[in-house]
Amino acid sequence: MSWWLLHVDLDQFIAAVEILRRPELRGRPVVVGGDGDPTRARQVVATASYEARAFGVRSGIPLRVAARRCPDAVFLPSDPPAYRAASADVMATLARFPVQLQVYGWDEAFLGAETGDPMALAADVRRAVLDETGLSCAVGVGDNKLTAKHAARFAKPGGIHQLTAGTWMAAMGAKPAAELWGIGPKTTKKLTALGLHTVADLAGADPATLTEHLGANAGGWLLLSARGTGETTVDTTPWVARSRSRETTFAADLTDRASVAQQVAALARALGADVVADGRRVTHVAVKVRFSSFFTPTRVMKLRAGPTTDLDEIERAAMTVLDKFDLDGARPVRLVGVRTDLAMDP
């Protein structure tokens, strides 16, 4: 018996939930986002079925663009409560196995288990999720979270794959370093400047060079990740949201500060009401402004009086943060958003 990590990754989760509710859509290109109307401006794709992805439809692109790329797609509005409920059903299924469960979002989870046959366990998990929820998932088997995460990528859609430190370099060495879990565009740019293009390049890099250009912590983590080393512990603490946010995209750009402030105030108050209804307290308030150029700065402040449930205080904080932006009308505003960071104590 050995300790194994499994990464469960639901296939096209949001689209799959919608198809479960509308079985007649199975096999057709499905696009979910906004209110589901691709003729309206400034709405973006939340997710797309594999059939729609074949036409170049991806998360984050405008619905109008998705409609041009895939005219025969079925467009549906986003329904977060339905996705939360479906996710809860999946996690309840996983919790019934003799494993340690770490929920990693709506559509992902890590399982830790002592087993002599991790592939058989993975097959049982995949079958149970499909039988009990109707949702397909890929299951990655690894000797740590990193290898399990990447194994699940190899397994998608709907398969099982095993990846360990022993097979890591053969499977991952030639892949771009940017594909490593946790590496973003800024880090990729720095690695490229250092001539480190592949996972193998990064694995063989001089530690001192990485420390010099990326810092001791990041440099050390990158080197370990490139060599297939990752965390082996599973955090079974129930998942609790650390923040909540709301945003709105305007049908026409706003050019006067008063209109922008009115929108931010309304978002802050509505978001605060959601948070308070969930029994949470707010510690920080952040405001995001996207200008017509798509430049999207974010500003944040900590509530000096400590965590609060006072909606007036949350709104005032959002207004204070908004004052940190230059809203002189020269740069029209396309979108605003408000985020609240939440106290983690009861």
Side-chain angles (χ1 to χ4, degrees), residues 228-249:
T229 301
E231 186 182 1
T232 59
T233 57
V234 175
D235 184 358
T236 58
T237 305
W239 183 82
V240 177
R242 295 179 178 273
S243 64
R244 290 278 295 272
S245 62
R246 280 193 177 209
E247 64 182 39
T248 185
T249 302

Side-chain angles (χ1 to χ4, degrees), residues 123-193:
D124 290 343
V125 165
R126 182 183 61 171
R127 187 180 308 110
V129 170
L130 183 60
D131 290 347
E132 296 184 27
T133 71
L135 296 170
S136 169
C137 67
V139 183
V141 177
D143 47 8
N144 59 61
K145 284 182 175 177
L146 176 70
T147 54
K149 173 79 172 180
H150 281 277
R153 292 180 180 177
F154 282 112
K156 291 185 79 71
I160 299 170
H161 190 85
Q162 181 173 312
L163 184 62
T164 66
T167 59
W168 172 264
M169 200 52 66
M172 295 293 298
K175 290 188 176 295
E179 290 191 14
L180 276 175
W181 182 31
I183 292 186
K186 291 183 179 179
T187 300
T188 298
K189 186 175 181 179
K190 292 179 181 179
L191 294 176
T192 300

Side-chain angles (χ1 to χ4, degrees), residues 87-311:
S87 175
D89 289 343
V90 171
M91 300 309 161
T93 298
L94 299 178
R96 287 195 282 272
F97 282 85
V99 299
Q100 293 183 16
L101 170 64
Q102 180 177 348
V103 178
Y104 212 70
W106 274 357
D107 59 350
E108 295 183 70
F110 283 103
L111 311 179
E114 286 279 354
T115 177
D117 193 344
M119 296 296 281
L121 175 60
D124 290 343
V125 165
R126 182 183 61 171
R127 187 180 308 110
V129 170
L130 183 60
D131 290 347
E132 296 184 27
T133 71
L135 296 170
S136 169
C137 67
V139 183
V141 177
D143 47 8
N144 59 61
K145 284 182 175 177
L146 176 70
T147 54
K149 173 79 172 180
H150 281 277
R153 292 180 180 177
F154 282 112
K156 291 185 79 71
I160 299 170
H161 190 85
Q162 181 173 312
L163 184 62
T164 66
T167 59
W168 172 264
M169 200 52 66
M172 295 293 298
K175 290 188 176 295
E179 290 191 14
L180 276 175
W181 182 31
I183 292 186
K186 291 183 179 179
T187 300
T188 298
K189 186 175 181 179
K190 292 179 181 179
L191 294 176
T192 300
L194 294 173
L196 303 174
H197 303 286
T198 67
V199 173
D201 291 339
L202 182 55
D206 176 23
T209 299
L210 292 176
T211 297
E212 178 184 354
H213 292 275
L214 294 123
N217 291 337
W221 172 79
L222 285 166
L223 193 61
L224 290 173
S225 294
R227 294 174 178 176
T229 301
E231 186 182 1
T232 59
T233 57
V234 175
D235 184 358
T236 58
T237 305
W239 183 82
V240 177
R242 295 179 178 273
S243 64
R244 290 278 295 272
S245 62
R246 280 193 177 209
E247 64 182 39
T248 185
T249 302
F250 307 121
D253 293 342
L254 300 185
T255 55
D256 65 291
R257 190 189 184 287
S259 296
V260 175
Q262 183 180 26
Q263 293 290 334
V264 170
L267 282 175
R269 199 160 195 92
L271 178 60
D274 289 345
V275 168
V276 173
D278 286 344
R280 304 295 299 278
R281 297 185 299 158
V282 174
T283 62
H284 298 70
V285 174
V287 173
K288 173 175 70 175
V289 175
R290 176 167 296 156
F291 296 99
S292 57
S293 64
F294 278 84
F295 175 55
T296 313
T298 299
R299 304 287 184 266
V300 63
M301 69 170 284
K302 181 178 180 179
L303 301 182
R304 293 191 181 91
T308 187
T309 58
D310 187 328
L311 300 187

